[in-house]
Amino acid sequence: MDPETTDLPTPCTSSAAVVDRLRRSLSSCSQLIQTGVDFHKSEQSLSDLVLFLNSISDSFVREPENQDLENASFQILTEIRLFITSSSVDQQAVIDALSFELPKTAARFACVSPRCMEVAQSIVDCFTDKCSPRDMLSILCEAIGSPRDAFTVPSYFAPLLSGFPKVFVSIRRRQFEQVKAAVPVILNALKAIVLDSDDKDADLGDIFHKANCIADSMKAVCLELEGKDNEKLCALLGLFVLQITALASMGIEYRLAHSSPLVLKLSHFLQSCGLSYLGLIMGTDVEKLLGIAVGDGGDDLVGCFSDIWLGASILVIWGYKSNEVALAAGADLVALKDELQSSRIKRWHAVGMLKHVLLCLYLPLELKKDAINFLLSIMYPKLSQMPNDENEDYSTYMPTLCSALQAIQVVIMYATDVILRKNAFAAFKELLADCPTSLRFDILRALIKDGDSSSMIAVLLDCVREEVRLESSKSPPASKVSKAESEGSQGTIFWSSSALELVELVLRPPGGGPPSLPEHSDAVLQNRPNQSTNIHWLIMLPSNSVHKVHDQKYFYATCQKSDQIHFSCFSFMQVLSALNLYRFILIKESTGKSNNSGVLSRDSLVKAHSEWLLPLRTLVTRMMAEAQCDSDELALCGLNPVEVVLYRCIELVEQLL
């Protein structure tokens, strides 16, 4: 081994000395590769060259403000480019050998400064011009798929990504298979960039410009293919665009004036891929693309498309927000909304797709606002086309509707914007009202049973009470109904008879005993001092935990954690709502002398008294004593109304017994 090439440079090494050493190392490598006499020695020479160059780039990571290192880096890249471009055809073997190492090495130097990145990109371009496109595809994939931690920044990936378009269009055989192998590596790298980068990083705009250029090259290859390969590559392009859309929305600030060029470019691909807004917002086009491009046994490929459902929804929301974007996509928003308003099933599919936007932690608040507004715009069905289908079986849609409503609940509970919370609650009620009666009850029961937010469960129980009230207002007084009519109307009193089941879910949980009040407190958002809230979304964190997300802390506080901010009074809201609902039904049935719900039967009254109310009274009495002893005013604030309504329910039941 040449001792000259093993001595690593120090920060004080002059630029001239470094460049001179690089020039001699390149010349030595070139001679050894050309002669081809000692393969091992030529490999070692190339390895020493890479070690030497990497030591320089590592030095910059340790000393990013060192201007001498920046100058040295620029001169190193310039010397490499000069060597490659001045090589003759007789030295193709040298270029091929260097291509396996120098693109990645040049990308490391691109992190030094903008001018270094420009030269690094020209080096990658030189290799893509001079080397086999199939070899360069493997080299680029390896380079972006295995960066060192210190170099996982946009400026490292940018020169490498710029090489893919030229490589894609240069491949002449098995184009679909080659592109298909590269797409997961590209998308995984882009996702890592987005999730690891600062939201304000301006380099992300350049990164997604290069991603768009990759999509352009895929489209160009599609035009050259025919038959099945054309169909499969067009489908792969569609999936690529959907994933890029989702990642760009996470990484680039959501201001239409800023993101419009990228939005327009991505929207132009929809018609080329046979995609429509209706197919995207219903998810059918996404399923179609997956079936064509991936087929069976494509789990590895599916993994890189984890956000395509989100991207499909966002593309439609962008079009909803801007007529120019919708025009670029070849879409008619008026016709789209008419279609969704005219079909309950299509509307439900759309709502199921929008949940991906509402649940994504990394999307900006403005995009979620637009998603809720779009949801509201399609939730006003045309009355003339409303189906009379109360007896239809819609149970297969229950998982979709439940998950969508849970997503809206997250917005209601955790959004910091008051108008957004208000609109989200309006959308929640509209979606519930869009469901037939029996399905609506099943959904409410599932949300109450699976919910872990006391205040949200209280809201759901209030929705049930409103259903009972509306049902009662439509029924004639018992004094004006004959016995035969009364018996015939038993089946139509749905909510009054079903609501007791929901009351029991809260007052006597499936596990037995009274509700465990302190364990069901709600989330409280606490900002750091002198900081505004920049992140607005949190999904189901464990109790008593502190999580740091984008410089914010989210607390799940309980009665026991008196040293933290807590709203323990919210722990009792679901119990209070359940008691109020039970009391409302008792009073309604007893004053109307109807007992349609069965709440006035002796068995029902005895069960409520012994299994719901008395155990709860014991628990509340004990907790009131503990709160008074500890001078816990918040706990007393939450327990007082529960105690009042509880004793009123006990009095009513004992009177009726």
Side-chain angles (χ1 to χ4, degrees):
M1 185 182 301
D2 186 354
E4 181 185 30
T5 60
T6 58
D7 295 333
L8 299 182
T10 63
C12 60
T13 305
S14 69
S15 298
V18 169
V19 171
D20 181 66
R21 182 173 167 182
L22 171 62
R23 190 178 294 118
R24 285 184 281 113
S25 297
L26 287 170
S27 177
S28 175
C29 282
S30 176
Q31 291 174 5
L32 289 169
I33 293 169
Q34 279 184 299
T35 58
V37 175
D38 192 337
F39 177 77
H40 174 73
K41 194 171 183 179
S42 63
E43 283 287 304
Q44 186 62 55
S45 177
L46 181 58
S47 177
D48 290 341
L49 172 63
V50 172
L51 181 64
F52 163 66
L53 293 173
N54 287 348
S55 67
I56 300 290
S57 58
D58 286 339
S59 297
F60 174 76
V61 172
R62 292 191 298 267
E63 301 180 61
E65 303 302 324
N66 191 321
Q67 187 60 40
D68 291 336
L69 287 175
E70 195 277 338
N71 290 331
S73 299
F74 179 75
Q75 292 182 38
I76 286 171
L77 290 171
T78 303
E79 184 65 29
I80 293 173
R81 180 176 61 181
L82 179 63
F83 179 83
I84 297 171
T85 55
S86 65
S87 298
S88 65
V89 178
D90 295 337
Q91 293 178 307
Q92 184 62 46
V94 177
I95 300 298
D96 289 341
L98 294 178
S99 69
F100 286 97
E101 298 290 349
L102 291 191
K104 185 174 182 178
T105 300
R108 290 161 62 101
F109 282 103
C111 303
V112 175
S113 66
R115 66 172 183 163
C116 287
M117 183 170 69
E118 184 178 343
V119 181
Q121 182 166 316
S122 68
I123 290 172
V124 174
D125 289 342
C126 287
F127 280 117
T128 56
D129 286 336
K130 293 175 176 289
C131 299
S132 161
R134 293 166 68 94
D135 289 342
M136 282 306 301
L137 187 62
S138 299
I139 291 167
L140 293 174
C141 286
E142 191 278 331
I144 69 169
S146 57
R148 281 186 50 190
D149 290 342
F151 297 96
T152 53
V153 292
S155 52
Y156 169 84
F157 293 96
L160 299 170
L161 290 172
S162 68
F164 282 98
K166 187 177 294 185
V167 168
F168 280 172
V169 297
S170 299
I171 295 174
R172 289 289 170 254
R173 295 179 58 192
R174 299 176 60 84
Q175 291 99 323
F176 171 72
E177 288 76 7
Q178 297 291 328
V179 175
K180 182 179 178 181
V183 162
V185 184
I186 296 170
L187 291 178
N188 289 336
L190 289 171
K191 187 162 188 177
I193 295 170
V194 169
L195 298 185
D196 293 343
S197 297
D198 187 340
D199 288 343
K200 297 179 181 179
D201 198 330
D203 290 342
L204 286 179
D206 182 55
I207 286 291
F208 284 106
H209 169 71
K210 296 185 186 308
N212 185 77
C213 291
I214 293 174
D216 277 330
S217 68
M218 292 173 66
K219 181 179 177 181
V221 176
C222 286
L223 297 176
E224 298 178 2
L225 300 178
E226 297 178 353
K228 279 289 185 181
D229 283 347
N230 173 273
E231 183 184 16
K232 289 190 292 185
L233 188 55
C234 282
L236 186 64
L237 171 60
L239 295 174
F240 184 81
V241 169
L242 296 183
Q243 183 71 11
I244 292 299
T245 299
L247 296 178
S249 300
M250 298 179 196
I252 297 178
E253 188 178 2
Y254 185 71
R255 296 184 186 275
L256 201 60
H258 171 74
S259 59
S260 181
L262 177 63
V263 173
L264 290 173
K265 290 176 182 177
L266 292 174
S267 297
H268 274 297
F269 288 107
L270 298 188
Q271 295 186 74
S272 302
C273 300
L275 304 177
S276 68
Y277 272 8
L278 182 63
L280 289 174
I281 201 60
M282 289 180 59
T284 53
D285 277 357
V286 183
E287 291 282 3
K288 179 185 70 175
L289 294 179
L290 283 172
I292 296 172
V294 179
D296 298 329
D299 293 341
D300 293 340
L301 187 59
V302 171
C304 74
F305 295 128
S306 57
D307 303 302
I308 54 177
W309 309 95
L310 175 63
S313 302
I314 291 174
L315 280 168
V316 177
I317 294 171
W318 276 347
Y320 166 74
K321 187 68 176 177
S322 166
N323 290 331
E324 186 181 7
V325 173
L327 185 63
D332 184 343
L333 261 295
V334 175
L336 174 67
K337 288 194 277 189
D338 283 346
E339 185 80 18
L340 296 176
Q341 290 173 353
S342 302
S343 170
R344 173 180 278 170
I345 301 303
K346 292 178 181 178
R347 194 160 57 244
W348 289 351
H349 279 294
V351 171
M353 287 291 290
L354 290 172
K355 73 181 178 187
H356 298 287
V357 177
L358 302 180
L359 289 177
C360 182
L361 182 66
Y362 302 101
L363 290 179
L365 181 65
E366 289 80 1
L367 187 51
K368 295 176 187 287
K369 287 181 179 179
D370 290 336
I372 289 293
N373 290 336
F374 177 73
L375 195 157
L376 283 170
S377 74
I378 65 173
M379 289 308 301
Y380 296 100
K382 296 182 176 180
L383 297 178
S384 61
Q385 301 181 32
M386 280 293 290
N388 184 15
D389 53 1
E390 288 293 328
N391 296 323
E392 293 288 337
D393 181 14
Y394 289 115
S395 58
T396 56
Y397 296 97
M398 184 172 168
T400 297
L401 293 168
C402 278
S403 61
L405 287 165
Q406 287 172 333
I408 299 173
Q409 283 181 343
V410 172
V411 181
I412 296 171
M413 291 188 290
Y414 299 115
T416 57
D417 185 271
V418 176
I419 296 177
L420 176 56
R421 290 200 303 270
K422 180 180 178 181
N423 289 342
F425 186 59
F428 186 89
K429 291 191 295 183
E430 287 289 339
L431 183 54
L432 272 179
D434 198 35
C435 302
T437 301
S438 59
L439 180 62
R440 185 156 69 249
F441 173 78
D442 290 339
I443 289 172
L444 284 169
R445 178 174 55 190
L447 294 175
I448 291 171
K449 186 176 180 179
D450 298 335
D452 58 2
S453 164
S454 179
S455 55
M456 198 65 228
I457 292 174
V459 170
L460 296 173
L461 289 170
D462 285 343
C463 291
V464 175
R465 186 171 66 168
E466 180 64 13
E467 293 283 0
V468 174
R469 187 193 67 79
L470 290 174
E471 186 178 65
S472 301
S473 66
K474 296 175 183 177
S475 302
S479 59
K480 298 183 180 181
V481 180
S482 66
K483 182 178 180 180
E485 290 173 331
S486 178
E487 292 174 353
S489 66
Q490 290 284 335
T492 64
I493 310 300
F494 178 82
W495 287 99
S496 296
S497 58
S498 303
L500 294 178
E501 179 184 345
L502 304 181
V503 172
E504 185 173 21
L505 277 176
V506 176
L507 298 184
R508 190 174 184 273
S516 183
L517 297 178
E519 297 178 4
H520 289 78
S521 53
D522 283 346
V524 179
L525 172 61
Q526 175 177 301
N527 288 331
R528 288 183 174 184
N530 302 321
Q531 288 189 358
S532 61
T533 304
N534 295 319
I535 192 76
H536 311 277
W537 313 95
L538 187 66
I539 305 173
M540 311 308 179
L541 295 183
S543 297
N544 299 329
S545 64
V546 180
H547 290 251
K548 182 180 178 183
V549 184
H550 287 221
D551 260 1
Q552 303 298 325
K553 288 186 177 179
Y554 293 81
F555 293 90
Y556 263 71
T558 64
C559 298
Q560 290 88 352
K561 298 184 77 68
S562 58
D563 57 326
Q564 295 179 359
I565 298 175
H566 63 91
F567 290 166
S568 58
C569 55
F570 287 144
S571 303
F572 313 112
M573 291 180 66
Q574 67 186 57
V575 175
L576 182 60
S577 288
L579 289 171
N580 273 322
L581 176 57
Y582 180 64
R583 178 170 172 261
F584 177 77
I585 297 173
L586 277 176
I587 294 173
K588 178 182 72 71
E589 298 283 44
S590 61
T591 55
K593 299 180 181 180
S594 60
N595 196 29
N596 288 320
S597 65
V599 69
L600 300 181
S601 68
R602 182 169 183 80
D603 289 344
S604 178
L605 291 170
V606 169
K607 177 182 178 180
H609 188 262
S610 61
E611 297 182 12
W612 302 354
L613 304 178
L614 294 185
L616 182 58
R617 182 177 67 180
T618 302
L619 176 63
V620 170
T621 301
R622 175 177 61 80
M623 292 184 66
M624 288 284 288
E626 292 175 354
Q628 290 172 351
C629 181
D630 297 337
S631 299
D632 191 341
E633 295 183 2
L634 281 175
L636 289 171
C637 176
L639 285 166
N640 280 331
V642 174
E643 184 184 43
V644 171
V645 180
L646 172 61
Y647 277 95
R648 181 57 183 142
C649 288
I650 292 174
E651 290 173 5
L652 285 171
V653 171
E654 290 177 346
Q655 289 173 6
L656 293 168
L657 284 172

